[in-house]
Amino acid sequence: MTDDGGDSDRPGSATDWIDPLERNWLRFSIALLVVFSLAVGITGFVLGFQVPGEHDRVDPNTVADSGPFSEPGIQQIGSGEYKVYMLAKQFFFEPREITVPQGATVTFHVTSTDVQHGLKIQDTNVNMQIVPGHVSTLTATFDEAGEYPFICHEFCGLAHAGMFGTLTVEPEGE
Ligand code: CUA
């Protein structure tokens, strides 16, 4: 009889009779699960990355009737800080022209009243999908004066190509 084991001399610990290579893969897989769980937990609950919640939901049919989106435009909320409420609709942005001073930090809140649009502001990190029923939010700082064209980058109908606008950053001291 060989000594690598009939049932009669099975070793005490259940893991002793798993192939060592396989055991290491099991450990590796479990460690990965722990790492992923920690990563998701920390980004979600410590750093606050959450998927859009109820507060970001709007009714696309009524969003322009009352509340901040009934008067789309720019508001100053602090020293050098602004927020923009913007509507995307077939086939224009409201507002279409935005002017901010150099160095301004601008938070964009954008929603659609009809179909899906996109908003990309050239030379910035602002590049988002505008989905009816949701408010897309992103913040950008404009340190360099100049004109920043923005476009709709999601095909939204026949006049999609005409859906654009301009953000102007005015040089300091003017
Ligand atoms: Cu709006 Cu394309």
Side-chain angles (χ1 to χ4, degrees):
M1 194 174 173
T2 55
D3 59 1
D4 60 349
D7 282 357
S8 55
D9 58 351
R10 178 189 294 169
S13 164
T15 54
D16 285 351
W17 45 282
I18 296 177
D19 185 88
L21 206 56
E22 195 164 332
R23 190 184 306 149
N24 285 339
W25 277 113
L26 278 173
R27 285 178 177 148
F28 178 69
S29 310
I30 290 166
L32 264 188
L33 283 177
V34 171
V35 168
F36 286 152
S37 303
L38 281 175
V40 170
I42 289 170
T43 51
F45 296 105
V46 182
L47 301 178
F49 285 86
Q50 298 275 336
V51 293
E54 276 303 310
H55 61 285
D56 291 314
R57 291 193 175 218
V58 291
D59 182 342
N61 297 312
T62 59
V63 68
D65 297 341
S66 62
F69 288 101
S70 62
E71 290 179 50
I74 186 164
Q75 299 171 15
Q76 184 160 12
I77 53 172
S79 170
E81 283 186 57
Y82 299 82
K83 63 181 172 182
V84 169
Y85 286 95
M86 186 186 268
L87 286 176
K89 44 177 117 170
Q90 289 167 320
F91 294 96
F92 58 95
F93 291 103
E94 206 182 330
R96 199 167 203 161
E97 309 275 334
I98 301 167
T99 303
V100 296
Q102 193 170 359
T105 297
V106 186
T107 301
F108 297 88
H109 303 275
V110 194
T111 192
S112 164
T113 57
D114 40 47
V115 301
Q116 184 168 344
H117 300 275
L119 172 64
K120 173 163 174 53
I121 306 180
Q122 196 172 306
D123 301 326
T124 70
N125 66 338
V126 178
N127 183 348
M128 48 193 179
Q129 297 296 121
I130 315 301
V131 181
H134 285 269
V135 179
S136 301
T137 300
L138 211 53
T139 300
T141 300
F142 296 88
D143 287 326
E144 288 193 26
E147 293 207 330
Y148 296 75
F150 55 84
I151 57 162
C152 173
H153 61 60
E154 184 71 45
F155 183 76
C156 53
L158 281 181
H160 156 71
M163 195 167 164
F164 56 83
T166 310
L167 185 144
T168 305
V169 179
E170 291 189 323
E172 259 171 320
E174 275 186 28

